Amino acid sequence: MFRASDEYRRSQVAIAALFCCLGFQYATWVSRIPALKTRLDLSEAELGLLLMVCGAGAAVSFPLVAILTKRLGSRRLAVLSALGLGVVLLALSVTPDYPVTLLIVFFDGVAVGCLNVAMNAQAAALEVKYQRTTMARMHATFSAGSLFAALLASGVTSLSSALPAHFGTATVLLVVLVLAARAGLLTEDQKAAEPVEPTGKKARGLTLPTRVTIWMGLAMAFGTVTEGAMNDWSALYLKDSAGAAAELAPLGIAVVSVMMVLARLFADGWRTKWGDERVVRVGSALAGVGLAVALLAGGVVPALLGFACVGLGIAAVTPCVYVAAARQGSDALALVAAMGTTGLLAGPAVIGFIANGTSLVWGMGAVAVSALVVSLCSTRIRFPVLADA
């Protein structure tokens, strides 16, 4: 009993380190975007394209990720892609020009896509192997990695503004964390105890997604639309639509972020008590209804309360859907992850188009609708039932 518990905790910490690595690496280079913009003399349009290329690399990595997961296994793919992210940081620190930077950032997106699938496959396999919920806590460590990266960026840049110094330090920490975690990762990808649904049909050698996989992909896409849009538009809504003072505008992002981290720390217990389907269905409904009521009421305080509902309600969507997707196999997991990336990238832009054609209130209303769509999709997904961690 004690040995099984020790092995579980060892693997849990190791897999959590992967999530921390991804949040840490991404936040590290994104925190230095102003320095990259100045160094390469980029326009706003060129900077926007740079960020889009990174997301495009992650979105189009789906076929490659599916193949690599089958051939290498999630453990080897996770280690290799995490080390690849360290190479990206080193390359960005000495990149000579804009075209080369685009290539580097595209590779970063592909590596992010690989690690994203591999680490979620590891976490889902851990839940299956030990029949204990832990995925939500894993996603909380992603946020912890981002926070650590922000603190490191602040500390290093106070001593030196040079990118090689900052990215070199970050790469060393990243490599050390990955190598330390490697021994605790699961060596085999676990299969679901029972097939959730029949395998999809094949066309020209490719397995087509099943209906359940498509519903999971839609839930993931609209869930990440909600997350991404709140990060990109909440501050502007507070300032321009709710009438908040400039110094209060950033509170929108802060409220959403804090509530998401807290919710993910407790969500595994909720999953055990109420089940993944109910957590996703009720949580996303809370996010949509809470935000809609806040928009109808208007004002700063209702907005912040509505944003808190979004953070609290949407936090468990991604972890729960990843677990369900992993039960369907590596192809389903890779596709669902790609759709999530697409939602994260395209969502804020779509909200911007809606706001430009109408108003930001209507744009944020579309965010509320996207959360409600997640609630509807969840009723078509068969979620696994596990015990608490």
mmCIF file of all heavy atoms in Angstrom, residues 128-159:
data_model
loop_
_atom_site.group_PDB
_atom_site.id
_atom_site.type_symbol
_atom_site.label_atom_id
_atom_site.label_comp_id
_atom_site.label_asym_id
_atom_site.label_seq_id
_atom_site.Cartn_x
_atom_site.Cartn_y
_atom_site.Cartn_z
ATOM 1 N N VAL A 128 -5.793 6.747 -14.677
ATOM 2 C CA VAL A 128 -6.289 5.401 -14.985
ATOM 3 C C VAL A 128 -5.548 4.345 -14.169
ATOM 4 O O VAL A 128 -6.152 3.423 -13.619
ATOM 5 C CB VAL A 128 -6.151 5.111 -16.494
ATOM 6 C CG1 VAL A 128 -6.464 3.642 -16.793
ATOM 7 C CG2 VAL A 128 -7.081 6.016 -17.297
ATOM 8 N N LYS A 129 -4.231 4.466 -14.080
ATOM 9 C CA LYS A 129 -3.419 3.462 -13.403
ATOM 10 C C LYS A 129 -3.742 3.369 -11.917
ATOM 11 O O LYS A 129 -3.845 2.269 -11.355
ATOM 12 C CB LYS A 129 -1.935 3.778 -13.586
ATOM 13 C CG LYS A 129 -1.001 2.751 -12.951
ATOM 14 C CD LYS A 129 0.456 3.064 -13.253
ATOM 15 C CE LYS A 129 1.377 2.005 -12.633
ATOM 16 N NZ LYS A 129 2.806 2.251 -12.948
ATOM 17 N N TYR A 130 -3.912 4.527 -11.270
ATOM 18 C CA TYR A 130 -4.133 4.528 -9.824
ATOM 19 C C TYR A 130 -5.573 4.840 -9.442
ATOM 20 O O TYR A 130 -5.885 4.866 -8.249
ATOM 21 C CB TYR A 130 -3.197 5.537 -9.154
ATOM 22 C CG TYR A 130 -1.744 5.121 -9.233
ATOM 23 C CD1 TYR A 130 -0.911 5.619 -10.234
ATOM 24 C CD2 TYR A 130 -1.204 4.216 -8.325
ATOM 25 C CE1 TYR A 130 0.426 5.241 -10.319
ATOM 26 C CE2 TYR A 130 0.128 3.835 -8.397
ATOM 27 C CZ TYR A 130 0.929 4.345 -9.394
ATOM 28 O OH TYR A 130 2.256 3.966 -9.480
ATOM 29 N N GLN A 131 -6.431 5.104 -10.465
ATOM 30 C CA GLN A 131 -7.840 5.401 -10.209
ATOM 31 C C GLN A 131 -8.003 6.533 -9.198
ATOM 32 O O GLN A 131 -8.782 6.435 -8.244
ATOM 33 C CB GLN A 131 -8.565 4.133 -9.730
ATOM 34 C CG GLN A 131 -8.757 3.088 -10.819
ATOM 35 C CD GLN A 131 -9.666 3.580 -11.942
ATOM 36 O OE1 GLN A 131 -10.856 3.810 -11.735
ATOM 37 N NE2 GLN A 131 -9.094 3.746 -13.136
ATOM 38 N N ARG A 132 -7.253 7.612 -9.440
ATOM 39 C CA ARG A 132 -7.313 8.781 -8.565
ATOM 40 C C ARG A 132 -7.294 10.040 -9.424
ATOM 41 O O ARG A 132 -6.569 10.130 -10.407
ATOM 42 C CB ARG A 132 -6.132 8.793 -7.587
ATOM 43 C CG ARG A 132 -6.045 7.543 -6.744
ATOM 44 C CD ARG A 132 -4.720 7.430 -6.039
ATOM 45 N NE ARG A 132 -4.700 8.108 -4.758
ATOM 46 C CZ ARG A 132 -3.674 8.051 -3.911
ATOM 47 N NH1 ARG A 132 -2.595 7.366 -4.215
ATOM 48 N NH2 ARG A 132 -3.729 8.687 -2.760
ATOM 49 N N THR A 133 -8.091 11.039 -9.044
ATOM 50 C CA THR A 133 -8.159 12.275 -9.813
ATOM 51 C C THR A 133 -6.975 13.182 -9.486
ATOM 52 O O THR A 133 -6.614 13.360 -8.328
ATOM 53 C CB THR A 133 -9.457 13.038 -9.506
ATOM 54 O OG1 THR A 133 -9.544 13.264 -8.098
ATOM 55 C CG2 THR A 133 -10.670 12.255 -9.966
ATOM 56 N N THR A 134 -6.381 13.744 -10.530
ATOM 57 C CA THR A 134 -5.237 14.638 -10.322
ATOM 58 C C THR A 134 -5.052 15.641 -11.452
ATOM 59 O O THR A 134 -4.236 16.541 -11.345
ATOM 60 C CB THR A 134 -3.944 13.807 -10.157
ATOM 61 O OG1 THR A 134 -2.881 14.661 -9.758
ATOM 62 C CG2 THR A 134 -3.566 13.126 -11.473
ATOM 63 N N MET A 135 -5.809 15.509 -12.534
ATOM 64 C CA MET A 135 -5.579 16.335 -13.720
ATOM 65 C C MET A 135 -5.730 17.826 -13.438
ATOM 66 O O MET A 135 -4.948 18.642 -13.953
ATOM 67 C CB MET A 135 -6.536 15.918 -14.841
ATOM 68 C CG MET A 135 -6.358 16.689 -16.138
ATOM 69 S SD MET A 135 -4.795 16.339 -16.977
ATOM 70 C CE MET A 135 -5.231 14.880 -17.918
ATOM 71 N N ALA A 136 -6.710 18.224 -12.659
ATOM 72 C CA ALA A 136 -6.921 19.645 -12.395
ATOM 73 C C ALA A 136 -5.729 20.258 -11.673
ATOM 74 O O ALA A 136 -5.310 21.382 -11.976
ATOM 75 C CB ALA A 136 -8.204 19.849 -11.586
ATOM 76 N N ARG A 137 -5.157 19.525 -10.709
ATOM 77 C CA ARG A 137 -3.978 20.032 -10.011
ATOM 78 C C ARG A 137 -2.804 20.181 -10.975
ATOM 79 O O ARG A 137 -1.978 21.087 -10.839
ATOM 80 C CB ARG A 137 -3.601 19.090 -8.871
ATOM 81 C CG ARG A 137 -4.608 19.054 -7.731
ATOM 82 C CD ARG A 137 -4.081 18.205 -6.576
ATOM 83 N NE ARG A 137 -5.061 18.068 -5.507
ATOM 84 C CZ ARG A 137 -5.945 17.086 -5.416
ATOM 85 N NH1 ARG A 137 -5.961 16.148 -6.345
ATOM 86 N NH2 ARG A 137 -6.804 17.025 -4.427
ATOM 87 N N MET A 138 -2.705 19.275 -11.938
ATOM 88 C CA MET A 138 -1.647 19.375 -12.935
ATOM 89 C C MET A 138 -1.741 20.696 -13.700
ATOM 90 O O MET A 138 -0.747 21.394 -13.922
ATOM 91 C CB MET A 138 -1.731 18.206 -13.922
ATOM 92 C CG MET A 138 -1.515 16.846 -13.311
ATOM 93 S SD MET A 138 0.176 16.651 -12.668
ATOM 94 C CE MET A 138 0.104 14.963 -12.101
ATOM 95 N N HIS A 139 -2.949 21.046 -14.087
ATOM 96 C CA HIS A 139 -3.137 22.283 -14.831
ATOM 97 C C HIS A 139 -2.882 23.508 -13.952
ATOM 98 O O HIS A 139 -2.511 24.565 -14.461
ATOM 99 C CB HIS A 139 -4.531 22.320 -15.440
ATOM 100 C CG HIS A 139 -4.647 21.486 -16.684
ATOM 101 N ND1 HIS A 139 -4.635 22.021 -17.944
ATOM 102 C CD2 HIS A 139 -4.746 20.146 -16.856
ATOM 103 C CE1 HIS A 139 -4.728 21.047 -18.839
ATOM 104 N NE2 HIS A 139 -4.795 19.897 -18.203
ATOM 105 N N ALA A 140 -3.067 23.360 -12.645
ATOM 106 C CA ALA A 140 -2.737 24.461 -11.737
ATOM 107 C C ALA A 140 -1.232 24.711 -11.723
ATOM 108 O O ALA A 140 -0.776 25.856 -11.596
ATOM 109 C CB ALA A 140 -3.240 24.154 -10.325
ATOM 110 N N THR A 141 -0.431 23.645 -11.876
ATOM 111 C CA THR A 141 1.023 23.828 -11.878
ATOM 112 C C THR A 141 1.496 24.528 -13.146
ATOM 113 O O THR A 141 2.560 25.145 -13.150
ATOM 114 C CB THR A 141 1.764 22.485 -11.739
ATOM 115 O OG1 THR A 141 1.441 21.645 -12.852
ATOM 116 C CG2 THR A 141 1.405 21.792 -10.452
ATOM 117 N N PHE A 142 0.721 24.438 -14.225
ATOM 118 C CA PHE A 142 1.030 25.217 -15.426
ATOM 119 C C PHE A 142 1.010 26.708 -15.084
ATOM 120 O O PHE A 142 1.915 27.463 -15.461
ATOM 121 C CB PHE A 142 0.015 24.915 -16.533
ATOM 122 C CG PHE A 142 0.154 25.786 -17.752
ATOM 123 C CD1 PHE A 142 1.002 25.417 -18.782
ATOM 124 C CD2 PHE A 142 -0.561 26.971 -17.864
ATOM 125 C CE1 PHE A 142 1.142 26.218 -19.907
ATOM 126 C CE2 PHE A 142 -0.438 27.775 -18.973
ATOM 127 C CZ PHE A 142 0.420 27.405 -20.006
ATOM 128 N N SER A 143 -0.018 27.133 -14.355
ATOM 129 C CA SER A 143 -0.114 28.528 -13.938
ATOM 130 C C SER A 143 1.023 28.894 -12.986
ATOM 131 O O SER A 143 1.554 30.003 -13.035
ATOM 132 C CB SER A 143 -1.466 28.790 -13.262
ATOM 133 O OG SER A 143 -2.528 28.498 -14.152
ATOM 134 N N ALA A 144 1.404 27.951 -12.127
ATOM 135 C CA ALA A 144 2.520 28.199 -11.209
ATOM 136 C C ALA A 144 3.818 28.405 -11.983
ATOM 137 O O ALA A 144 4.640 29.262 -11.633
ATOM 138 C CB ALA A 144 2.666 27.032 -10.237
ATOM 139 N N GLY A 145 4.014 27.620 -13.055
ATOM 140 C CA GLY A 145 5.192 27.797 -13.891
ATOM 141 C C GLY A 145 5.225 29.155 -14.554
ATOM 142 O O GLY A 145 6.285 29.795 -14.653
ATOM 143 N N SER A 146 4.068 29.626 -15.000
ATOM 144 C CA SER A 146 3.985 30.951 -15.609
ATOM 145 C C SER A 146 4.329 32.042 -14.600
ATOM 146 O O SER A 146 5.032 33.006 -14.924
ATOM 147 C CB SER A 146 2.580 31.186 -16.173
ATOM 148 O OG SER A 146 2.272 30.236 -17.176
ATOM 149 N N LEU A 147 3.831 31.875 -13.379
ATOM 150 C CA LEU A 147 4.125 32.845 -12.326
ATOM 151 C C LEU A 147 5.612 32.876 -12.022
ATOM 152 O O LEU A 147 6.223 33.951 -11.893
ATOM 153 C CB LEU A 147 3.328 32.508 -11.064
ATOM 154 C CG LEU A 147 3.616 33.371 -9.831
ATOM 155 C CD1 LEU A 147 3.315 34.837 -10.111
ATOM 156 C CD2 LEU A 147 2.811 32.861 -8.634
ATOM 157 N N PHE A 148 6.234 31.697 -11.917
ATOM 158 C CA PHE A 148 7.663 31.634 -11.639
ATOM 159 C C PHE A 148 8.467 32.294 -12.756
ATOM 160 O O PHE A 148 9.453 32.990 -12.516
ATOM 161 C CB PHE A 148 8.092 30.193 -11.459
ATOM 162 C CG PHE A 148 9.567 30.020 -11.211
ATOM 163 C CD1 PHE A 148 10.223 30.720 -10.211
ATOM 164 C CD2 PHE A 148 10.318 29.160 -11.997
ATOM 165 C CE1 PHE A 148 11.585 30.576 -9.990
ATOM 166 C CE2 PHE A 148 11.672 28.994 -11.797
ATOM 167 C CZ PHE A 148 12.312 29.705 -10.791
ATOM 168 N N ALA A 149 8.024 32.093 -13.994
ATOM 169 C CA ALA A 149 8.712 32.703 -15.135
ATOM 170 C C ALA A 149 8.638 34.221 -15.068
ATOM 171 O O ALA A 149 9.615 34.919 -15.381
ATOM 172 C CB ALA A 149 8.104 32.205 -16.442
ATOM 173 N N ALA A 150 7.480 34.739 -14.678
ATOM 174 C CA ALA A 150 7.325 36.189 -14.562
ATOM 175 C C ALA A 150 8.241 36.758 -13.482
ATOM 176 O O ALA A 150 8.875 37.812 -13.667
ATOM 177 C CB ALA A 150 5.872 36.535 -14.259
ATOM 178 N N LEU A 151 8.336 36.055 -12.346
ATOM 179 C CA LEU A 151 9.210 36.512 -11.272
ATOM 180 C C LEU A 151 10.679 36.446 -11.689
ATOM 181 O O LEU A 151 11.459 37.357 -11.389
ATOM 182 C CB LEU A 151 8.981 35.664 -10.019
ATOM 183 C CG LEU A 151 7.589 35.768 -9.378
ATOM 184 C CD1 LEU A 151 7.462 34.787 -8.218
ATOM 185 C CD2 LEU A 151 7.331 37.198 -8.910
ATOM 186 N N LEU A 152 11.052 35.370 -12.390
ATOM 187 C CA LEU A 152 12.428 35.244 -12.860
ATOM 188 C C LEU A 152 12.762 36.347 -13.862
ATOM 189 O O LEU A 152 13.841 36.934 -13.802
ATOM 190 C CB LEU A 152 12.640 33.881 -13.510
ATOM 191 C CG LEU A 152 14.045 33.635 -14.073
ATOM 192 C CD1 LEU A 152 15.074 33.561 -12.949
ATOM 193 C CD2 LEU A 152 14.078 32.351 -14.913
ATOM 194 N N ALA A 153 11.836 36.625 -14.766
ATOM 195 C CA ALA A 153 12.061 37.676 -15.755
ATOM 196 C C ALA A 153 12.288 39.019 -15.080
ATOM 197 O O ALA A 153 13.180 39.785 -15.467
ATOM 198 C CB ALA A 153 10.872 37.753 -16.710
ATOM 199 N N SER A 154 11.488 39.296 -14.058
ATOM 200 C CA SER A 154 11.643 40.554 -13.338
ATOM 201 C C SER A 154 12.991 40.629 -12.629
ATOM 202 O O SER A 154 13.685 41.650 -12.660
ATOM 203 C CB SER A 154 10.508 40.706 -12.319
ATOM 204 O OG SER A 154 10.653 41.890 -11.569
ATOM 205 N N GLY A 155 13.383 39.501 -11.993
ATOM 206 C CA GLY A 155 14.640 39.489 -11.263
ATOM 207 C C GLY A 155 15.858 39.585 -12.165
ATOM 208 O O GLY A 155 16.781 40.364 -11.897
ATOM 209 N N VAL A 156 15.862 38.814 -13.251
ATOM 210 C CA VAL A 156 17.019 38.809 -14.141
ATOM 211 C C VAL A 156 17.163 40.138 -14.877
ATOM 212 O O VAL A 156 18.263 40.683 -14.984
ATOM 213 C CB VAL A 156 16.924 37.648 -15.163
ATOM 214 C CG1 VAL A 156 18.037 37.754 -16.202
ATOM 215 C CG2 VAL A 156 17.019 36.309 -14.439
ATOM 216 N N THR A 157 16.057 40.690 -15.358
ATOM 217 C CA THR A 157 16.137 41.942 -16.102
ATOM 218 C C THR A 157 16.518 43.119 -15.215
ATOM 219 O O THR A 157 17.010 44.138 -15.710
ATOM 220 C CB THR A 157 14.792 42.246 -16.790
ATOM 221 O OG1 THR A 157 13.730 42.186 -15.826
ATOM 222 C CG2 THR A 157 14.523 41.261 -17.907
ATOM 223 N N SER A 158 16.301 42.989 -13.909
ATOM 224 C CA SER A 158 16.758 44.053 -13.005
ATOM 225 C C SER A 158 18.280 44.074 -12.899
ATOM 226 O O SER A 158 18.873 45.090 -12.554
ATOM 227 C CB SER A 158 16.147 43.860 -11.615
ATOM 228 O OG SER A 158 16.652 42.681 -10.997
ATOM 229 N N LEU A 159 18.907 42.928 -13.228
ATOM 230 C CA LEU A 159 20.365 42.844 -13.212
ATOM 231 C C LEU A 159 20.963 43.049 -14.590
ATOM 232 O O LEU A 159 22.026 43.659 -14.732
ATOM 233 C CB LEU A 159 20.800 41.470 -12.665
ATOM 234 C CG LEU A 159 20.335 41.122 -11.252
ATOM 235 C CD1 LEU A 159 20.738 39.700 -10.908
ATOM 236 C CD2 LEU A 159 20.941 42.107 -10.249
#
